[in-house]
Amino acid sequence: MQLILASISPFRKIILEKLNIKFTTIAPENVDETPLPGEIPEQLVSRLAESKAKAVGKSLSNALVVGSDQVAVVDGQIVGKPGDHENAIKQLKRASGKRVSFLTGLCLYNTESKRVQIEVAPYNVIFRQLSDKQIENYLKAEQPYNCAGSFKSEGMGIVLFKRLEGDDPNTLIGLPLIRLVRMLESEGFTVL
């Protein structure tokens, strides 16, 4: 079976390359990422991961399609990508001294059997108390305006943290490999 990553995220691609297996990336089309009324973050990432996998898989046969979606949650509220410097300042000030939960929805869709496996993997980041100057210096250095939570943990963003909590550090970047390997193996796709 061919393996497809339903994403053109360079970060997810780099993570999946760690497994040293052949795969193709395809961008999912026509997936509305707007939260549904009353939808909690876990439901949102689960639904979007499945929607992305099925959007790519609908025109494929004999494929395993990996869909993934992630949100950051602070004080029970979803925090998206800041988009610009001012919003990034607000996000980092809000996260300062707090626990930020990253929830990653992971879906493996078998286009032959139509079997869907879905999990939501949590990963927590506990931020240090950050001064305005530290926030400004970090944003000037890394400009993480296209990253949920306004930081790049795989880069300098690590200096913002007091502690990380979770089973798989890849989850924080957007693709929980430990869970994905289990899913792949349950479909007969061996990584080793």
Side-chain angles (χ1 to χ4, degrees):
M1 293 189 97
Q2 60 179 326
L3 182 63
I4 307 294
L5 177 61
S7 173
I8 55 168
S9 162
F11 305 112
R12 286 191 179 103
K13 183 176 185 247
I14 289 168
I15 293 170
L16 191 52
E17 285 172 344
K18 290 179 182 183
L19 297 181
N20 199 29
I21 53 179
K22 186 180 175 186
F23 67 95
T24 305
T25 59
I26 300 175
E29 294 180 9
N30 302 319
V31 175
D32 182 359
E33 297 192 22
T34 307
L36 300 174
E39 190 172 43
I40 62 172
E42 290 87 347
Q43 293 168 328
L44 173 66
V45 294
S46 179
R47 177 178 60 82
L48 291 177
E50 181 177 6
S51 295
K52 290 175 181 181
K54 286 184 172 179
V56 167
K58 68 182 175 190
S59 61
L60 300 172
S61 61
N62 201 31
L64 293 173
V65 184
V66 179
S68 185
D69 194 77
Q70 184 180 67
V71 295
V73 179
V74 180
D75 299 328
Q77 300 294 313
I78 293 175
V79 177
K81 297 174 184 173
D84 63 34
H85 189 80
E86 291 308 311
N87 286 332
I89 290 171
K90 289 176 190 171
Q91 283 187 359
L92 290 176
K93 282 185 177 186
R94 185 174 178 198
S96 178
K98 294 183 182 172
R99 174 185 311 271
V100 178
S101 296
F102 285 80
L103 301 172
T104 303
L106 177 66
C107 175
L108 184 64
Y109 174 52
N110 182 324
T111 63
E112 284 298 303
S113 68
K114 306 301 183 209
R115 180 178 180 212
V116 174
Q117 298 179 64
I118 302 172
E119 292 190 37
V120 176
Y123 203 88
N124 296 312
V125 175
I126 293 79
F127 275 78
R128 298 172 39 204
Q129 283 288 64
L130 302 171
S131 69
D132 290 350
K133 184 174 182 176
Q134 287 172 319
I135 290 171
E136 190 65 39
N137 287 343
Y138 171 69
L139 292 175
K140 283 181 182 174
E142 202 145 62
Q143 301 167 7
Y145 307 130
N146 197 31
C147 299
S150 301
F151 66 85
K152 294 180 184 178
S153 63
E154 68 278 13
M156 238 183 104
I158 200 79
V159 304
L160 306 173
F161 310 149
K162 182 177 181 180
R163 187 171 67 252
L164 301 172
E165 300 172 342
D167 297 335
D168 181 347
N170 297 297
T171 303
L172 182 57
I173 305 170
L175 192 62
L177 284 185
I178 291 172
R179 292 174 191 237
L180 179 58
V181 167
R182 280 198 323 259
M183 289 176 170
L184 289 168
E185 287 175 347
S186 76
E187 291 291 340
F189 189 104
T190 358
V191 175
L192 291 176

